[in-house]
Coordinates of all heavy atoms in Angstrom, one line a residue:
M1 N -15.6 -59.6 -17.4 CA -16.0 -59.7 -18.8 C -17.1 -60.7 -19.0 O -17.0 -61.8 -18.4 CB -14.7 -60.0 -19.6 CG -15.1 -60.1 -21.1 SD -13.6 -60.4 -22.1 CE -13.0 -58.7 -22.2
L2 N -18.1 -60.3 -19.7 CA -19.3 -61.2 -19.9 C -19.9 -60.9 -21.2 O -20.1 -59.8 -21.6 CB -20.3 -60.9 -18.8 CG -21.6 -61.7 -18.9 CD1 -21.4 -63.1 -18.5 CD2 -22.7 -61.1 -18.0
N3 N -20.0 -62.0 -22.0 CA -20.6 -61.9 -23.3 C -19.9 -60.8 -24.1 O -20.6 -60.0 -24.9 CB -22.1 -61.5 -23.2 CG -22.8 -62.7 -22.6 OD1 -22.4 -63.8 -22.7 ND2 -24.0 -62.4 -22.0
D4 N -18.6 -60.7 -24.0 CA -17.7 -59.8 -24.8 C -17.9 -58.3 -24.3 O -17.2 -57.5 -24.8 CB -18.1 -59.8 -26.3 CG -17.7 -61.1 -27.0 OD1 -16.8 -61.8 -26.4 OD2 -18.2 -61.5 -28.0
Y5 N -18.7 -58.1 -23.4 CA -18.7 -56.7 -22.8 C -17.9 -56.7 -21.5 O -17.8 -57.7 -20.8 CB -20.2 -56.4 -22.5 CG -21.0 -56.0 -23.8 CD1 -21.8 -57.0 -24.3 CD2 -21.0 -54.8 -24.3 CE1 -22.5 -56.7 -25.5 CE2 -21.8 -54.5 -25.4 CZ -22.5 -55.5 -26.0 OH -23.2 -55.2 -27.1
T6 N -17.5 -55.5 -21.2 CA -16.7 -55.3 -20.0 C -17.6 -54.6 -19.0 O -18.4 -53.7 -19.3 CB -15.4 -54.6 -20.2 OG1 -15.7 -53.3 -20.9 CG2 -14.5 -55.4 -21.1
Y7 N -17.4 -55.0 -17.7 CA -18.2 -54.4 -16.6 C -17.2 -53.9 -15.5 O -16.2 -54.4 -15.3 CB -19.1 -55.4 -16.0 CG -20.2 -55.8 -17.0 CD1 -19.9 -56.9 -17.9 CD2 -21.4 -55.2 -17.1 CE1 -20.9 -57.3 -18.9 CE2 -22.4 -55.6 -18.0 CZ -22.1 -56.6 -18.9 OH -23.1 -57.0 -19.7
A8 N -17.7 -52.9 -14.8 CA -17.0 -52.4 -13.7 C -17.8 -52.6 -12.4 O -19.0 -52.3 -12.4 CB -16.7 -50.9 -13.8
K9 N -17.2 -53.1 -11.4 CA -18.0 -53.4 -10.1 C -18.3 -52.1 -9.3 O -17.4 -51.3 -9.2 CB -17.2 -54.4 -9.3 CG -18.0 -54.9 -8.1 CD -17.2 -56.0 -7.3 CE -18.1 -56.7 -6.3 NZ -18.8 -55.7 -5.4
N10 N -19.5 -52.1 -8.9 CA -19.8 -51.0 -7.9 C -19.3 -51.5 -6.6 O -19.6 -52.6 -6.1 CB -21.3 -50.9 -7.8 CG -21.8 -49.8 -6.9 OD1 -21.1 -49.6 -5.8 ND2 -22.8 -49.0 -7.2
P11 N -18.4 -50.7 -5.9 CA -17.7 -51.2 -4.7 C -18.7 -51.4 -3.5 O -18.4 -52.1 -2.6 CB -16.7 -50.1 -4.4 CG -17.2 -48.9 -5.1 CD -17.9 -49.4 -6.4
K12 N -19.9 -50.8 -3.6 CA -20.8 -50.9 -2.5 C -21.9 -51.9 -2.7 O -22.8 -52.0 -1.9 CB -21.5 -49.5 -2.3 CG -20.5 -48.4 -1.9 CD -21.2 -47.1 -1.7 CE -20.2 -46.0 -1.3 NZ -20.9 -44.7 -1.2
S13 N -21.8 -52.7 -3.8 CA -22.9 -53.6 -4.0 C -22.3 -54.8 -4.9 O -21.2 -54.8 -5.2 CB -24.1 -53.0 -4.7 OG -23.7 -52.7 -6.1
H14 N -23.2 -55.7 -5.2 CA -22.8 -56.8 -6.1 C -23.2 -56.5 -7.5 O -23.4 -57.4 -8.3 CB -23.4 -58.1 -5.6 CG -22.8 -58.6 -4.3 ND1 -21.6 -59.0 -4.2 CD2 -23.4 -58.6 -3.1 CE1 -21.3 -59.4 -2.9 NE2 -22.4 -59.1 -2.2
I15 N -23.4 -55.3 -7.9 CA -23.8 -54.9 -9.2 C -22.6 -54.5 -10.0 O -21.8 -53.7 -9.6 CB -24.9 -53.8 -9.2 CG1 -26.1 -54.3 -8.4 CG2 -25.2 -53.3 -10.6 CD1 -27.2 -53.2 -8.2
Y16 N -22.5 -55.0 -11.2 CA -21.5 -54.6 -12.2 C -22.1 -53.8 -13.3 O -23.1 -54.2 -13.9 CB -20.8 -55.9 -12.8 CG -20.0 -56.6 -11.8 CD1 -20.6 -57.4 -10.9 CD2 -18.6 -56.6 -11.9 CE1 -19.8 -58.2 -10.0 CE2 -17.8 -57.3 -11.1 CZ -18.4 -58.1 -10.1 OH -17.6 -58.8 -9.2
Y17 N -21.6 -52.6 -13.5 CA -22.1 -51.7 -14.5 C -21.3 -51.8 -15.7 O -20.1 -52.1 -15.7 CB -22.1 -50.3 -14.0 CG -23.1 -50.1 -13.0 CD1 -22.8 -50.0 -11.6 CD2 -24.5 -49.8 -13.3 CE1 -23.7 -49.8 -10.6 CE2 -25.4 -49.6 -12.3 CZ -25.0 -49.6 -11.0 OH -25.9 -49.4 -9.9
C18 N -21.9 -51.7 -16.9 CA -21.2 -51.7 -18.2 C -20.0 -50.6 -18.1 O -20.2 -49.5 -17.5 CB -22.1 -51.3 -19.3 SG -21.3 -51.2 -20.9
S19 N -18.9 -51.0 -18.7 CA -17.8 -50.0 -18.6 C -18.0 -48.7 -19.4 O -17.3 -47.8 -19.3 CB -16.5 -50.7 -19.1 OG -16.7 -51.3 -20.4
K20 N -19.1 -48.8 -20.2 CA -19.5 -47.6 -20.9 C -20.7 -46.8 -20.3 O -21.4 -46.0 -20.9 CB -19.8 -47.9 -22.4 CG -18.6 -48.3 -23.2 CD -18.9 -48.3 -24.7 CE -17.7 -48.9 -25.4 NZ -16.5 -48.1 -25.2
K21 N -20.9 -47.1 -19.0 CA -21.9 -46.5 -18.2 C -21.8 -45.0 -18.3 O -22.8 -44.3 -18.5 CB -21.8 -47.0 -16.8 CG -22.8 -46.3 -15.8 CD -22.7 -46.9 -14.4 CE -23.6 -46.2 -13.5 NZ -23.1 -44.9 -13.1
N22 N -20.6 -44.5 -18.2 CA -20.5 -43.0 -18.2 C -20.7 -42.4 -19.6 O -20.8 -41.2 -19.8 CB -19.1 -42.6 -17.7 CG -18.0 -43.2 -18.6 OD1 -18.2 -43.9 -19.6 ND2 -16.7 -42.9 -18.2
K23 N -20.9 -43.3 -20.6 CA -21.4 -42.8 -22.0 C -22.9 -43.0 -22.1 O -23.4 -42.8 -23.2 CB -20.6 -43.6 -23.0 CG -19.1 -43.2 -23.0 CD -18.5 -43.6 -24.3 CE -17.1 -43.0 -24.5 NZ -16.2 -43.1 -23.4
G24 N -23.6 -43.5 -21.2 CA -25.0 -43.5 -21.2 C -25.6 -44.9 -21.3 O -26.8 -45.1 -21.3
C25 N -24.7 -46.0 -21.3 CA -25.2 -47.3 -21.4 C -25.8 -47.7 -20.0 O -25.1 -47.6 -19.0 CB -24.1 -48.3 -21.8 SG -24.7 -50.0 -22.0
K26 N -27.0 -48.3 -20.0 CA -27.6 -48.7 -18.8 C -27.5 -50.2 -18.4 O -28.1 -50.6 -17.4 CB -29.1 -48.3 -18.8 CG -29.3 -46.8 -18.8 CD -30.8 -46.4 -18.9 CE -31.1 -45.0 -18.6 NZ -30.4 -44.1 -19.6
A27 N -26.8 -50.9 -19.2 CA -26.7 -52.3 -19.0 C -25.9 -52.6 -17.7 O -24.9 -51.9 -17.4 CB -25.9 -53.0 -20.2
R28 N -26.4 -53.6 -16.9 CA -25.7 -53.9 -15.7 C -26.0 -55.4 -15.4 O -26.9 -56.0 -15.9 CB -26.2 -53.0 -14.5 CG -27.6 -53.1 -14.3 CD -28.0 -52.0 -13.3 NE -29.4 -52.1 -12.9 CZ -30.4 -51.6 -13.5 NH1 -30.2 -50.9 -14.6 NH2 -31.7 -51.8 -13.1
V29 N -25.1 -55.9 -14.6 CA -25.2 -57.3 -14.2 C -25.2 -57.4 -12.7 O -24.4 -56.8 -12.0 CB -24.0 -58.1 -14.7 CG1 -24.0 -59.6 -14.1 CG2 -24.1 -58.2 -16.2
K30 N -26.2 -58.1 -12.1 CA -26.3 -58.2 -10.6 C -26.0 -59.7 -10.3 O -26.5 -60.6 -10.9 CB -27.7 -57.8 -10.2 CG -27.8 -57.8 -8.7 CD -29.1 -57.2 -8.2 CE -29.2 -57.1 -6.7 NZ -30.5 -56.6 -6.3
L31 N -25.1 -59.8 -9.3 CA -24.8 -61.2 -8.8 C -25.4 -61.4 -7.4 O -25.4 -60.5 -6.6 CB -23.3 -61.3 -8.8 CG -22.5 -61.1 -10.0 CD1 -21.0 -61.3 -9.8 CD2 -23.0 -61.9 -11.2
D32 N -25.7 -62.6 -7.2 CA -26.2 -62.9 -5.8 C -24.9 -63.3 -5.0 O -23.8 -63.2 -5.4 CB -27.2 -64.1 -5.8 CG -26.6 -65.4 -6.2 OD1 -25.4 -65.5 -6.3 OD2 -27.4 -66.3 -6.4
R33 N -25.1 -63.6 -3.7 CA -24.0 -63.8 -2.9 C -23.1 -65.0 -3.3 O -22.0 -65.1 -2.8 CB -24.5 -64.0 -1.4 CG -25.3 -65.2 -1.2 CD -25.7 -65.4 0.3 NE -26.6 -64.2 0.7 CZ -27.0 -64.0 1.9 NH1 -26.6 -64.9 2.9 NH2 -27.8 -63.0 2.2
N34 N -23.6 -65.8 -4.1 CA -22.8 -67.0 -4.6 C -22.2 -66.7 -5.9 O -21.6 -67.6 -6.5 CB -23.7 -68.2 -4.7 CG -24.3 -68.6 -3.4 OD1 -23.5 -68.7 -2.4 ND2 -25.5 -68.9 -3.4
G35 N -22.3 -65.5 -6.4 CA -21.7 -65.1 -7.7 C -22.5 -65.5 -8.9 O -22.0 -65.5 -10.0
I36 N -23.8 -65.9 -8.7 CA -24.7 -66.2 -9.8 C -25.3 -65.0 -10.3 O -25.8 -64.2 -9.6 CB -25.7 -67.3 -9.3 CG1 -25.1 -68.5 -8.6 CG2 -26.6 -67.7 -10.5 CD1 -24.2 -69.2 -9.5
I37 N -25.3 -64.9 -11.6 CA -25.9 -63.8 -12.3 C -27.4 -63.8 -12.1 O -28.1 -64.8 -12.5 CB -25.5 -63.7 -13.8 CG1 -24.0 -63.5 -13.9 CG2 -26.3 -62.6 -14.5 CD1 -23.5 -63.7 -15.3
I38 N -28.0 -62.8 -11.6 CA -29.5 -62.7 -11.5 C -29.9 -61.4 -12.3 O -30.5 -60.5 -11.7 CB -29.9 -62.7 -10.1 CG1 -29.1 -61.7 -9.2 CG2 -29.8 -64.1 -9.4 CD1 -29.5 -61.5 -7.8
N39 N -29.7 -61.5 -13.5 CA -29.9 -60.3 -14.4 C -31.2 -60.3 -15.1 O -31.7 -61.4 -15.5 CB -28.8 -60.2 -15.4 CG -28.4 -58.8 -15.8 OD1 -28.5 -57.9 -15.0 ND2 -28.1 -58.6 -17.1
K40 N -31.9 -59.2 -15.2 CA -33.1 -59.1 -15.9 C -32.7 -58.8 -17.4 O -31.7 -58.0 -17.6 CB -34.0 -58.1 -15.4 CG -34.7 -58.5 -14.1 CD -35.8 -57.5 -13.7 CE -35.2 -56.2 -13.3 NZ -36.2 -55.3 -12.8
A41 N -33.5 -59.3 -18.3 CA -33.2 -59.1 -19.8 C -33.0 -57.6 -20.1 O -32.2 -57.2 -20.8 CB -34.2 -59.7 -20.6
E42 N -33.9 -56.8 -19.6 CA -33.9 -55.4 -19.9 C -32.7 -54.7 -19.3 O -32.3 -53.6 -19.7 CB -35.2 -54.6 -19.5 CG -35.4 -54.7 -18.0 CD -36.3 -55.8 -17.6 OE1 -36.3 -56.8 -18.3 OE2 -37.1 -55.6 -16.7
D43 N -32.0 -55.3 -18.4 CA -30.8 -54.7 -17.8 C -29.5 -55.1 -18.6 O -28.5 -54.5 -18.3 CB -30.6 -55.3 -16.4 CG -31.6 -54.7 -15.4 OD1 -32.3 -53.7 -15.8 OD2 -31.8 -55.3 -14.3
S44 N -29.6 -56.0 -19.5 CA -28.4 -56.4 -20.2 C -28.4 -55.9 -21.6 O -27.6 -56.5 -22.4 CB -28.4 -58.0 -20.2 OG -29.5 -58.5 -20.8
T45 N -29.2 -54.9 -22.0 CA -29.2 -54.5 -23.3 C -28.2 -53.3 -23.4 O -28.4 -52.3 -22.8 CB -30.6 -54.0 -23.7 OG1 -31.5 -55.0 -23.6 CG2 -30.7 -53.5 -25.2
H46 N -27.2 -53.5 -24.3 CA -26.3 -52.4 -24.6 C -26.7 -51.6 -25.8 O -27.3 -52.2 -26.7 CB -24.9 -53.0 -24.8 CG -24.3 -53.7 -23.6 ND1 -23.5 -53.1 -22.7 CD2 -24.5 -54.9 -23.2 CE1 -23.1 -53.9 -21.8 NE2 -23.8 -55.1 -22.0
F47 N -26.4 -50.3 -25.8 CA -26.7 -49.6 -27.0 C -25.5 -49.4 -27.9 O -25.6 -48.6 -28.8 CB -27.3 -48.2 -26.6 CG -26.2 -47.2 -26.1 CD1 -26.0 -46.0 -26.9 CD2 -25.5 -47.5 -25.0 CE1 -25.0 -45.1 -26.4 CE2 -24.5 -46.6 -24.6 CZ -24.3 -45.4 -25.3
H48 N -24.5 -50.2 -27.6 CA -23.3 -50.1 -28.4 C -22.8 -51.5 -28.6 O -23.1 -52.4 -27.9 CB -22.2 -49.3 -27.6 CG -22.0 -49.8 -26.3 ND1 -21.0 -50.8 -26.0 CD2 -22.6 -49.6 -25.1 CE1 -21.1 -51.1 -24.7 NE2 -22.0 -50.4 -24.2
P49 N -21.9 -51.7 -29.7 CA -21.4 -53.0 -29.9 C -20.3 -53.3 -28.8 O -19.8 -52.4 -28.2 CB -20.7 -52.9 -31.3 CG -20.4 -51.4 -31.4 CD -21.5 -50.7 -30.7
P50 N -20.0 -54.6 -28.6 CA -19.0 -54.9 -27.6 C -17.6 -54.4 -28.0 O -17.3 -54.4 -29.2 CB -19.0 -56.4 -27.5 CG -19.6 -56.9 -28.8 CD -20.5 -55.8 -29.2
P51 N -16.8 -54.0 -27.1 CA -15.4 -53.6 -27.4 C -14.6 -54.8 -28.0 O -14.9 -55.9 -27.6 CB -14.9 -53.1 -26.1 CG -15.6 -53.7 -25.0 CD -17.0 -54.0 -25.6
K52 N -13.7 -54.5 -28.8 CA -12.9 -55.5 -29.4 C -11.6 -55.8 -28.5 O -10.9 -54.9 -28.3 CB -12.4 -55.1 -30.8 CG -13.6 -54.9 -31.8 CD -14.1 -56.2 -32.2 CE -15.2 -56.1 -33.2 NZ -16.5 -56.3 -32.7
Y53 N -11.5 -57.0 -28.1 CA -10.4 -57.3 -27.3 C -9.6 -58.5 -27.9 O -10.2 -59.4 -28.6 CB -10.8 -57.8 -25.8 CG -11.2 -56.6 -25.0 CD1 -12.5 -56.1 -25.0 CD2 -10.3 -56.1 -24.1 CE1 -12.8 -55.0 -24.2 CE2 -10.6 -55.0 -23.3 CZ -11.8 -54.5 -23.3 OH -12.1 -53.4 -22.5
Y54 N -8.4 -58.5 -27.6 CA -7.5 -59.6 -28.1 C -6.9 -60.2 -26.9 O -6.3 -59.5 -26.0 CB -6.4 -59.0 -29.0 CG -5.4 -60.1 -29.4 CD1 -5.7 -61.1 -30.2 CD2 -4.1 -60.0 -28.8 CE1 -4.7 -62.0 -30.5 CE2 -3.2 -61.0 -29.1 CZ -3.5 -62.0 -30.0 OH -2.5 -62.9 -30.3
Q55 N -7.0 -61.5 -26.7 CA -6.5 -62.2 -25.6 C -5.1 -62.7 -25.9 O -4.9 -63.5 -26.8 CB -7.4 -63.3 -25.1 CG -6.9 -63.9 -23.7 CD -7.9 -64.9 -23.2 OE1 -8.8 -65.4 -23.9 NE2 -7.8 -65.2 -22.0
T56 N -4.1 -62.3 -25.1 CA -2.7 -62.7 -25.4 C -2.5 -64.1 -24.8 O -3.4 -64.7 -24.1 CB -1.7 -61.8 -24.7 OG1 -1.9 -61.9 -23.3 CG2 -2.0 -60.3 -25.1
S57 N -1.4 -64.7 -25.2 CA -1.1 -66.1 -24.7 C -0.9 -66.1 -23.2 O -1.1 -67.2 -22.6 CB 0.2 -66.6 -25.4 OG 1.3 -65.7 -25.1
S58 N -0.6 -65.0 -22.6 CA -0.5 -65.0 -21.1 C -1.9 -64.8 -20.4 O -1.9 -64.7 -19.2 CB 0.5 -63.9 -20.7 OG 0.1 -62.7 -21.1
G59 N -3.0 -64.6 -21.2 CA -4.3 -64.5 -20.6 C -4.7 -63.1 -20.4 O -5.8 -62.9 -19.9
E60 N -3.9 -62.1 -20.8 CA -4.3 -60.8 -20.7 C -5.1 -60.3 -21.8 O -5.0 -60.8 -22.9 CB -3.0 -59.9 -20.6 CG -2.2 -60.1 -19.4 CD -1.0 -59.1 -19.4 OE1 -0.1 -59.4 -20.1 OE2 -1.0 -58.2 -18.6
Y61 N -6.0 -59.3 -21.6 CA -6.8 -58.8 -22.6 C -6.3 -57.4 -23.0 O -5.9 -56.6 -22.2 CB -8.3 -58.6 -22.1 CG -9.0 -59.9 -22.0 CD1 -9.1 -60.5 -20.8 CD2 -9.5 -60.5 -23.1 CE1 -9.8 -61.7 -20.7 CE2 -10.2 -61.7 -23.0 CZ -10.4 -62.3 -21.8 OH -11.0 -63.5 -21.6
I62 N -6.1 -57.3 -24.3 CA -5.7 -56.0 -24.9 C -6.8 -55.4 -25.7 O -7.4 -56.0 -26.5 CB -4.4 -56.2 -25.7 CG1 -3.3 -56.7 -24.9 CG2 -4.1 -54.9 -26.4 CD1 -2.1 -57.0 -25.7
K63 N -7.1 -54.1 -25.4 CA -8.2 -53.4 -26.1 C -7.7 -53.0 -27.5 O -6.7 -52.3 -27.5 CB -8.7 -52.3 -25.3 CG -10.1 -51.8 -25.7 CD -10.6 -50.7 -24.7 CE -12.0 -50.4 -24.9 NZ -12.5 -49.4 -23.9
L64 N -8.4 -53.4 -28.5 CA -8.0 -53.0 -29.8 C -8.5 -51.7 -30.3 O -7.9 -51.0 -31.0 CB -8.4 -54.1 -30.8 CG -7.7 -55.5 -30.6 CD1 -8.2 -56.5 -31.6 CD2 -6.2 -55.4 -30.8
S65 N -9.7 -51.5 -29.9 CA -10.4 -50.2 -30.3 C -11.5 -49.8 -29.3 O -12.0 -50.7 -28.6 CB -10.9 -50.2 -31.7 OG -12.0 -51.2 -31.8
S66 N -11.9 -48.6 -29.3 CA -12.9 -48.3 -28.3 C -14.3 -48.2 -28.9 O -14.8 -47.9 -29.7 CB -12.6 -46.9 -27.7 OG -12.4 -45.9 -28.7
Ligands
ZN1 ZN1 -22.9 -51.3 -22.5

């Protein structure tokens, strides 16, 4: 989770794609080998608002709406 958006990791690379990638969102985050974000600004633009999550007292995230 980053900036209220959720990402899914590409298993073959260090690139995390927006969880709405399959809906056409092109936003992605690339990490270097140290886990530092090396993202370009044009790669981080979502065409949708961030999903609403609620964090429970145990630290879990619950999705409120899609
Ligand atoms: Zn997105």
Side-chain angles (χ1 to χ4, degrees):
M1 180 173 279
L2 176 73
N3 295 336
D4 293 337
Y5 286 95
T6 52
Y7 294 86
K9 190 179 188 304
N10 183 324
K12 294 180 180 177
S13 71
H14 292 289
I15 298 175
Y16 289 75
Y17 291 98
C18 177
S19 55
K20 293 191 186 302
K21 175 176 176 287
N22 59 4
K23 292 195 165 51
C25 184
K26 291 182 168 57
R28 60 190 186 272
V29 172
K30 189 174 183 181
L31 304 182
D32 68 11
R33 64 180 63 185
N34 296 315
I36 306 299
I37 296 172
I38 46 176
N39 211 34
K40 288 190 292 185
E42 61 264 34
D43 290 343
S44 60
T45 303
H46 296 262
F47 78 116
H48 56 87
K52 297 282 183 257
Y53 282 85
Y54 171 74
Q55 188 172 17
T56 68
S57 56
S58 60
E60 292 180 287
Y61 286 99
I62 296 176
K63 198 171 188 178
L64 295 178
S65 64
S66 53

